[in-house]
Amino acid sequence: MDENSSGGGRLSLDTTLASQLHKRKQSVDFDHFTLSCRSSNDAGRVAEMDFFPVEKKACAVAVADKVQPASLGIKKEDFTVNTGLRLLTANTGSDQSTVDDGLSRNEDDDKENKNELVLIRAELYRVNEENQRLRGMLNQVTSNYNSLQMHLVALMQQRSQRNGDEAAADEKMEVKQHDSGIPLLPRQFMDLGRLVGMSADADADEPSNSSSDRSLSPTNNVESSIVDYHLKKTSSIVSGGGRGFAREDSPDQGSQGWVPKSQTKVVDSKSPEQAQEATMRKARVSVRARSEAPMITDGCQWRKYGQKMAKGNPCPRAYYRCTMATGCPVRKQVQRCADDRTILITTYEGNHNHPLPPAAMAMASTTSAAASMLLSGSMSSANGLMNSDFLTRTMLPCSSSMATISASAPFPTVTLDLTHSPTPLQFQRPPQSSQFQMNFPNGVGAGFGGVPMQPPSLPQVFGKTLGSQSKFSGLHSSAVADAVKFQHAIVPTAAPPSLLADTVSAATAAITADPNFTAALAAAITSIIGSKGGSGNQTSGISNNSNSNQ
DNA sequence: CGGATTTGACCGGCGC
DNA sequence: GCGCCGGTCAAATCCG
């Protein structure tokens, strides 16, 4: 029976094929492509997920191998290779039906279809090139920004070291310096937040050095609006937020960490930095991952300081604070999902004020990047400047897991959902109602979800205990491989070599060395997020951290 | 014994 | 003003 008459045109998208096509086409918008394709066998049916009749899958895959940017200018000969299976991929545009065409018409139709296919591919290629060009520009800007940021951090560190000897006395001095707008080491990772704050305070008491800071931010305008949002939403929180810590931290630490109640008023009177820090501090990164363990291992040391029953969730919420350094303001909340208790939700908040171990660094980088993304993206979303679909497709095209940025929550939050298994082209939505989400590559998803799933989550992913995860092995290699694919997809040739190289090498390393997988994956993710998010500075630990288990 | 955890109390914000 | 709720404190307790 001829495949044409088989009426088998309505098949659901062959994921394998889709995957291959995606790989081949890299960043080409696969969804758009599929949506524009119709099965000639299926009367005008929009082939949302239809590519080829079932009978032609094998052939389709073979052809798919040819579908790559370099071959988009496919020659007719490419299609004349008689596979024995007429590929009726393409009728785009019109709804004209080719259903039940007789054999005599097939050849003509094939030619037409092929021509259309060529046109479509040409168009895709063109769009792809443009996408790559734009991405390249974005990466360039991001890279420059990161370089400046790193430089700033280095300068601040030097400055800090200079003052390091005079501890207590100096700390007071630092407080004054802060008030005067001079960034300090502890805040080295507050760049983004500070930038935001600066902008926000522009109409108020603009710091004298704000201009220089702004120069570091490519998304200043957006952040500016973010600040407004944050300040409105968090000023009270920052100053209030309960009693705050009555710890013996130095004033400086207090200002950058949870603000002791005694200093609340100072904050209220708010120096720009403090307000900015508050803003940053309130930016949260939430990680959802399946895990049996009570907490994730992320390389940092945590101390539980409280536990409460949260409304609407039978599972208690545990509160932890980073104990790797006195006065470290980073906190995290750990709670199981009410809907699925196998899912552990870890929310990080704050910025570390101390060096992080490699394992924690990876996590910190990722969450930091996510937070940065949030700060630069959530508002964009709020302002309608950013399209969720755009982010989904552009930033993290082939993912399964995703990051959700929410500006509607009490605090701007980035949610990294690592609970989803890799499903090509899927566009999932997190439980919460959020503005938009960004899918992570399968690799990330699988990696995070898979690996960490076991242990609590991200922490583990980036942490060290990956090797011990039994479930990990399965997702492991594929996750890494996907991470690589992903990198290719979103950071095409135009991407800074370093980013791509880092990612690939990281993933590769992960493949060959399980113990390094988390770090490698984290590096890859960081590269990805960083390159797309705008400020995902790797080493800076804007926030996050992770946990250590107990 | 020191550090970590538990747990009831407390505080501030927010909505009614 | 009151009650709810999230977040935190800090004394009591546990643990290595």
Tab-separated table of all heavy atoms in Angstrom, chain A residues 364-396:
chain	number	residue	atom	x	y	z
A	364	ALA	N	25.977	28.607	43.635
A	364	ALA	CA	25.816	30.039	43.826
A	364	ALA	C	25.761	30.762	42.490
A	364	ALA	O	24.958	31.657	42.277
A	364	ALA	CB	26.971	30.577	44.676
A	365	SER	N	26.615	30.319	41.616
A	365	SER	CA	26.652	30.954	40.312
A	365	SER	C	25.327	30.798	39.592
A	365	SER	O	24.793	31.729	39.001
A	365	SER	CB	27.755	30.323	39.463
A	365	SER	OG	29.006	30.579	40.054
A	366	THR	N	24.835	29.623	39.694
A	366	THR	CA	23.587	29.359	39.001
A	366	THR	C	22.437	30.148	39.591
A	366	THR	O	21.676	30.806	38.889
A	366	THR	CB	23.250	27.861	39.063
A	366	THR	OG1	24.284	27.130	38.439
A	366	THR	CG2	21.954	27.581	38.342
A	367	THR	N	22.340	30.079	40.858
A	367	THR	CA	21.242	30.803	41.475
A	367	THR	C	21.440	32.294	41.317
A	367	THR	O	20.489	33.045	41.145
A	367	THR	CB	21.149	30.461	42.959
A	367	THR	OG1	22.394	30.714	43.584
A	367	THR	CG2	20.760	29.021	43.141
A	368	SER	N	22.698	32.648	41.361
A	368	SER	CA	22.990	34.054	41.184
A	368	SER	C	22.542	34.506	39.814
A	368	SER	O	21.907	35.555	39.642
A	368	SER	CB	24.490	34.280	41.341
A	368	SER	OG	24.812	35.591	40.992
A	369	ALA	N	22.878	33.690	38.877
A	369	ALA	CA	22.504	34.022	37.505
A	369	ALA	C	20.988	34.072	37.390
A	369	ALA	O	20.419	34.951	36.739
A	369	ALA	CB	23.066	32.966	36.549
A	370	ALA	N	20.379	33.138	38.043
A	370	ALA	CA	18.922	33.102	37.978
A	370	ALA	C	18.332	34.354	38.607
A	370	ALA	O	17.406	34.960	38.091
A	370	ALA	CB	18.402	31.861	38.699
A	371	ALA	N	18.932	34.717	39.716
A	371	ALA	CA	18.436	35.906	40.394
A	371	ALA	C	18.650	37.131	39.519
A	371	ALA	O	17.789	38.000	39.407
A	371	ALA	CB	19.167	36.086	41.723
A	372	SER	N	19.788	37.141	38.906
A	372	SER	CA	20.088	38.265	38.041
A	372	SER	C	19.092	38.314	36.901
A	372	SER	O	18.610	39.362	36.501
A	372	SER	CB	21.500	38.115	37.474
A	372	SER	OG	22.435	38.150	38.523
A	373	MET	N	18.835	37.111	36.437
A	373	MET	CA	17.880	37.038	35.337
A	373	MET	C	16.538	37.562	35.794
A	373	MET	O	15.836	38.258	35.081
A	373	MET	CB	17.742	35.601	34.903
A	373	MET	CG	17.567	35.497	33.433
A	373	MET	SD	17.110	33.913	32.901
A	373	MET	CE	18.235	32.857	33.525
A	374	LEU	N	16.247	37.187	36.967
A	374	LEU	CA	14.965	37.608	37.495
A	374	LEU	C	14.906	39.131	37.559
A	374	LEU	O	13.945	39.759	37.133
A	374	LEU	CB	14.769	37.045	38.888
A	374	LEU	CG	13.530	37.552	39.583
A	374	LEU	CD1	12.968	36.469	40.495
A	374	LEU	CD2	13.825	38.783	40.382
A	375	LEU	N	15.954	39.667	38.104
A	375	LEU	CA	15.957	41.113	38.251
A	375	LEU	C	15.894	41.835	36.926
A	375	LEU	O	15.288	42.897	36.811
A	375	LEU	CB	17.209	41.545	39.006
A	375	LEU	CG	17.186	41.131	40.468
A	375	LEU	CD1	18.492	41.517	41.132
A	375	LEU	CD2	16.014	41.773	41.169
A	376	SER	N	16.501	41.234	35.979
A	376	SER	CA	16.485	41.914	34.692
A	376	SER	C	15.320	41.474	33.827
A	376	SER	O	14.974	42.121	32.869
A	376	SER	CB	17.789	41.640	33.952
A	376	SER	OG	17.899	40.267	33.678
A	377	GLY	N	14.749	40.387	34.199
A	377	GLY	CA	13.675	39.864	33.375
A	377	GLY	C	12.283	39.998	33.931
A	377	GLY	O	11.339	40.257	33.200
A	378	SER	N	12.167	39.836	35.209
A	378	SER	CA	10.829	39.871	35.773
A	378	SER	C	10.148	41.182	35.489
A	378	SER	O	8.984	41.254	35.156
A	378	SER	CB	10.907	39.649	37.272
A	378	SER	OG	11.598	40.691	37.888
A	379	MET	N	10.896	42.208	35.641
A	379	MET	CA	10.292	43.486	35.406
A	379	MET	C	10.009	43.660	33.937
A	379	MET	O	9.038	44.268	33.553
A	379	MET	CB	11.241	44.583	35.869
A	379	MET	CG	11.164	44.736	37.319
A	379	MET	SD	9.704	44.013	37.948
A	379	MET	CE	8.733	45.224	38.468
A	380	SER	N	10.888	43.137	33.198
A	380	SER	CA	10.652	43.251	31.773
A	380	SER	C	9.313	42.633	31.465
A	380	SER	O	8.529	43.154	30.699
A	380	SER	CB	11.748	42.496	31.017
A	380	SER	OG	12.983	43.058	31.312
A	381	SER	N	9.139	41.532	32.100
A	381	SER	CA	7.886	40.844	31.874
A	381	SER	C	6.750	41.722	32.348
A	381	SER	O	5.745	41.896	31.677
A	381	SER	CB	7.874	39.544	32.667
A	381	SER	OG	6.619	38.950	32.597
A	382	ALA	N	6.948	42.256	33.499
A	382	ALA	CA	5.902	43.076	34.065
A	382	ALA	C	5.602	44.255	33.157
A	382	ALA	O	4.467	44.693	33.016
A	382	ALA	CB	6.337	43.567	35.435
A	383	ASN	N	6.619	44.710	32.552
A	383	ASN	CA	6.427	45.852	31.688
A	383	ASN	C	5.987	45.452	30.286
A	383	ASN	O	5.793	46.278	29.427
A	383	ASN	CB	7.740	46.648	31.566
A	383	ASN	CG	8.086	47.268	32.882
A	383	ASN	OD1	7.225	47.458	33.731
A	383	ASN	ND2	9.350	47.585	33.065
A	384	GLY	N	5.884	44.202	30.147
A	384	GLY	CA	5.456	43.722	28.849
A	384	GLY	C	6.526	43.890	27.802
A	384	GLY	O	6.265	43.907	26.614
A	385	LEU	N	7.709	43.999	28.256
A	385	LEU	CA	8.793	44.186	27.304
A	385	LEU	C	9.361	42.856	26.863
A	385	LEU	O	10.022	42.733	25.871
A	385	LEU	CB	9.908	45.008	27.955
A	385	LEU	CG	9.489	46.404	28.343
A	385	LEU	CD1	10.649	47.094	29.017
A	385	LEU	CD2	9.023	47.168	27.128
A	386	MET	N	9.091	41.888	27.637
A	386	MET	CA	9.663	40.598	27.313
A	386	MET	C	8.569	39.568	27.104
A	386	MET	O	7.607	39.519	27.824
A	386	MET	CB	10.569	40.156	28.449
A	386	MET	CG	11.616	39.183	27.989
A	386	MET	SD	12.823	38.936	29.282
A	386	MET	CE	13.949	40.246	28.913
A	387	ASN	N	8.749	38.835	26.125
A	387	ASN	CA	7.750	37.834	25.818
A	387	ASN	C	8.169	36.476	26.336
A	387	ASN	O	9.258	36.021	26.097
A	387	ASN	CB	7.592	37.775	24.294
A	387	ASN	CG	6.617	36.708	23.902
A	387	ASN	OD1	6.889	35.539	24.056
A	387	ASN	ND2	5.476	37.134	23.414
A	388	SER	N	7.297	35.868	27.029
A	388	SER	CA	7.639	34.588	27.620
A	388	SER	C	8.021	33.579	26.564
A	388	SER	O	8.924	32.795	26.723
A	388	SER	CB	6.461	34.054	28.418
A	388	SER	OG	5.378	33.842	27.557
A	389	ASP	N	7.315	33.644	25.525
A	389	ASP	CA	7.598	32.700	24.469
A	389	ASP	C	8.985	32.964	23.927
A	389	ASP	O	9.747	32.065	23.629
A	389	ASP	CB	6.570	32.853	23.351
A	389	ASP	CG	6.712	31.738	22.339
A	389	ASP	OD1	6.688	30.567	22.752
A	389	ASP	OD2	6.840	32.058	21.154
A	390	PHE	N	9.259	34.207	23.843
A	390	PHE	CA	10.570	34.571	23.345
A	390	PHE	C	11.645	33.988	24.246
A	390	PHE	O	12.611	33.395	23.797
A	390	PHE	CB	10.699	36.089	23.314
A	390	PHE	CG	12.114	36.543	23.106
A	390	PHE	CD1	12.651	36.510	21.832
A	390	PHE	CD2	12.881	36.974	24.161
A	390	PHE	CE1	13.969	36.922	21.631
A	390	PHE	CE2	14.185	37.380	23.952
A	390	PHE	CZ	14.725	37.355	22.697
A	391	LEU	N	11.450	34.183	25.511
A	391	LEU	CA	12.440	33.672	26.439
A	391	LEU	C	12.538	32.162	26.347
A	391	LEU	O	13.613	31.597	26.334
A	391	LEU	CB	12.063	34.069	27.865
A	391	LEU	CG	12.382	35.497	28.204
A	391	LEU	CD1	11.859	35.806	29.602
A	391	LEU	CD2	13.870	35.721	28.134
A	392	THR	N	11.395	31.592	26.306
A	392	THR	CA	11.387	30.139	26.266
A	392	THR	C	12.129	29.618	25.063
A	392	THR	O	12.922	28.698	25.150
A	392	THR	CB	9.951	29.630	26.206
A	392	THR	OG1	9.276	30.075	27.370
A	392	THR	CG2	9.926	28.117	26.154
A	393	ARG	N	11.865	30.235	23.984
A	393	ARG	CA	12.490	29.744	22.758
A	393	ARG	C	13.926	30.197	22.617
A	393	ARG	O	14.774	29.437	22.181
A	393	ARG	CB	11.696	30.246	21.548
A	393	ARG	CG	10.293	29.716	21.535
A	393	ARG	CD	9.503	30.444	20.460
A	393	ARG	NE	8.126	30.038	20.450
A	393	ARG	CZ	7.707	28.893	19.965
A	393	ARG	NH1	8.571	28.061	19.465
A	393	ARG	NH2	6.438	28.580	20.002
A	394	THR	N	14.106	31.395	22.923
A	394	THR	CA	15.424	31.943	22.714
A	394	THR	C	16.444	31.557	23.766
A	394	THR	O	17.558	31.195	23.463
A	394	THR	CB	15.349	33.474	22.671
A	394	THR	OG1	14.412	33.832	21.697
A	394	THR	CG2	16.692	34.050	22.358
A	395	MET	N	16.025	31.656	24.975
A	395	MET	CA	16.986	31.385	26.021
A	395	MET	C	17.184	29.913	26.262
A	395	MET	O	18.273	29.430	26.422
A	395	MET	CB	16.534	32.040	27.311
A	395	MET	CG	16.477	33.536	27.172
A	395	MET	SD	15.928	34.305	28.670
A	395	MET	CE	17.371	34.108	29.672
A	396	LEU	N	16.123	29.227	26.358
A	396	LEU	CA	16.243	27.828	26.675
A	396	LEU	C	15.303	27.008	25.835
A	396	LEU	O	14.300	26.529	26.272
A	396	LEU	CB	15.912	27.661	28.124
A	396	LEU	CG	16.754	28.624	28.933
A	396	LEU	CD1	16.083	28.940	30.247
A	396	LEU	CD2	18.113	28.090	29.164
